[in-house]
Amino acid sequence: RFREYRLAATKVETLPDLTAALAEYAHNAEEIARTTAKMGAQIIFVSQPALWRAGLGEAESGALWLRGIGDFQEKPGALYYSATALAAGLDLYNRTLMETCAKVGAECLDLAPKIRRDLTLFYDDCHFNEAGARTVASEVARFLSERPPFQKK
């Protein structure tokens, strides 16, 4: 039902101004990094991949169901952000995370550019299928194996 709503919906190509949301996101990431450091724990942030991108094929577009505005899951006729617009928004969040981690000295695996954005790894907008989960696990394992072990302070 949700995919049917999305397929029949009007697409919005422009996201709202994300300045305040991105600032809050950066602040929250900083707080998480500070809190875990105070606790003597180590956190590793990970950027978020998603299927969204310009030029999705028919099968990929048909797999999408998120992106709606308002009560998009309750009734047909809601507006939906385009996959291109959401890809740009997600890129802003991922860049903000990477910049924040660099600023506060937190580790971050930039996973998003390492994951193919197609149906071989995703089953919808942002959820991995089994092959995608294996690929993510492999990237995380590689990242962890290439860094020095955590030394509690």
Side-chain angles (χ1 to χ4, degrees), residues 55-79:
L56 289 177
E58 187 176 324
E60 292 159 331
S61 291
L64 303 176
W65 63 277
L66 298 172
R67 312 174 305 150
I69 301 170
D71 292 333
F72 69 99
Q73 293 179 332
E74 300 301 319
K75 59 186 184 293
L79 298 174

Side-chain angles (χ1 to χ4, degrees), residues 8 17 57 70 86 90 104 124:
D17 181 11
L86 288 179
L90 184 56
V104 300
D124 68 10

Side-chain angles (χ1 to χ4, degrees), residues 59-118:
E60 292 159 331
S61 291
L64 303 176
W65 63 277
L66 298 172
R67 312 174 305 150
I69 301 170
D71 292 333
F72 69 99
Q73 293 179 332
E74 300 301 319
K75 59 186 184 293
L79 298 174
Y80 281 72
Y81 289 111
S82 71
T84 302
L86 288 179
L90 184 56
D91 183 57
L92 288 172
Y93 275 92
N94 284 336
R95 280 191 281 146
T96 298
L97 179 64
M98 299 304 295
E99 291 166 3
T100 302
C101 287
K103 175 182 168 185
V104 300
E107 287 190 85
C108 190
L109 165 57
D110 194 7
L111 181 65
K114 299 176 185 306
I115 302 298
R116 276 190 327 274
R117 293 184 290 168
D118 62 35

Side-chain angles (χ1 to χ4, degrees), residues 3-4 14-15 22 30 36 42 45 49 55 58 68-70 73-74 90 101 108 116 124-125 131 138 140 142:
R3 287 187 174 105
E4 290 173 10
T14 306
L15 294 175
L22 291 167
E30 287 178 30
T36 55
Q42 183 176 22
F45 291 90
E58 187 176 324
I69 301 170
Q73 293 179 332
E74 300 301 319
L90 184 56
C101 287
C108 190
R116 276 190 327 274
D124 68 10
D125 299 63
S138 177
V140 170
R142 180 179 299 113

